[in-house]
């Protein structure tokens, strides 16, 4: 375990050097989701408590070991934070734009949505309300473990039927009204 939760605090421990950083854990009331602490401190790694997580110094070392950076690049540690690949809201927006309507279901493929924030959740809730007004149900296709965890944490997991694949979503088979909460490690 690389995150130690305490009352309203979380300690994130680097898997490389053992360095640690402590921050508030009140963004989401679920100790399993630690992405805010990871990104606020320019660390890299999993958005989940089980890791792996690496501090900025070890992140650069790993890139050097992989041949991606040279010794001269070590001076850049602690510089500007890395630019995320894509804004999570844009990925949710794109998934909603590409939604497919099958019978009375609106299928939103979340395969490309690895993480979601409050703005992305807001888009999903608004789309759910609009679908319901049209007499349809908004269904999520292949959400990541992170998205399922956030939905569960925010008590929205019963709102959206979930399909684990596009094939099942198109056929309407194996929809789960309540996604199972993610496994938690002790």
């Amino acid at each position: 375990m690389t995150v130690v939760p305490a009352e309203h605090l979380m300690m994130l421990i680097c898997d490389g050097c053992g360095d640690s950083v402590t921050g508030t854990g009140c963004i989401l009331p679920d100790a399993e989701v630690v992405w805010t602490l990871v990104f606020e401190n320019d660390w890299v790694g999993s958005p989940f408590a089980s890791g792996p997580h690496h501090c900025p110094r070890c992140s650069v070392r790993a890139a050097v070991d992989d041949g991606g950076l040279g010794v001269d690049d070590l001076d850049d540690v602690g510089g500007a934070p890395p630019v995320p690949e894509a804004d999570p809201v844009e990925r949710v927006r794109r998934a909603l734009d590409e939604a497919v309507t099958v019978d009375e279901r609106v299928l939103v493929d979340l395969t490309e949505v690895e993480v979601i924030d409050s703005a992305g959740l807001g888009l999903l809730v608004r789309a759910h309300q609009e679908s319901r007004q049209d007499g349809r149900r908004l269904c999520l296709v292949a959400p990541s473990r992170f998205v399922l965890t956030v939905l569960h944490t925010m008590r929205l997991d019963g709102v959206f039927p979930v399909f684990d694949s596009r094939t099942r979503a198109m056929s309407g088979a194996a929809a789960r009204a309540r996604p199972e909460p993610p496994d938690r490690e002790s």
Side-chain angles (χ1 to χ4, degrees), residues 68-83:
L69 298 172
V71 174
D72 297 332
D73 297 315
L74 291 175
D75 293 334
D76 295 333
V77 175
V83 177

Side-chain angles (χ1 to χ4, degrees), residues 30 32 48 140 143-153 156-164 168 174-184:
D30 189 340
E32 179 70 13
F48 296 102
L140 306 181
S144 70
R145 179 177 169 224
F146 182 85
V147 171
L148 288 174
T149 300
V150 172
L151 290 172
H152 176 73
T153 301
L156 293 171
D157 51 349
V159 173
F160 304 99
V162 174
F163 293 89
D164 58 2
R168 290 188 177 176
R176 293 184 314 221
R178 295 186 139 267
E180 297 173 19
D183 295 336
R184 294 183 189 251

Side-chain angles (χ1 to χ4, degrees), residues 77-163:
V77 175
V83 177
E85 216 176 277
D87 185 13
V89 174
E90 286 305 314
R91 289 187 179 198
V92 173
R93 189 172 283 123
R94 186 173 36 238
L96 287 167
D97 288 343
E98 296 171 359
V100 176
T101 302
V102 177
D103 299 325
E104 294 183 5
R105 295 180 322 255
V106 177
L107 306 176
V108 180
D109 188 346
L110 296 180
T111 305
E112 299 295 319
V113 179
E114 296 171 15
V115 296
I116 193 166
D117 58 8
S118 59
L121 280 175
L123 289 174
L124 285 179
V125 169
R126 187 175 320 131
H128 163 73
Q129 292 169 340
E130 291 171 1
S131 296
R132 205 170 71 187
Q133 288 174 350
D134 293 339
R136 294 187 167 91
R137 283 196 79 171
L138 187 76
C139 303
L140 306 181
V141 178
S144 70
R145 179 177 169 224
F146 182 85
V147 171
L148 288 174
T149 300
V150 172
L151 290 172
H152 176 73
T153 301
M154 302 310 290
R155 298 177 194 226
L156 293 171
D157 51 349
V159 173
F160 304 99
V162 174
F163 293 89

Side-chain angles (χ1 to χ4, degrees), residues 7-23:
E7 190 172 319
H8 302 294
L9 295 175
M10 290 186 199
M11 182 183 354
L12 185 62
I13 303 169
C14 177
D15 292 335
C17 66
D19 198 10
S20 65
V21 63
T22 302

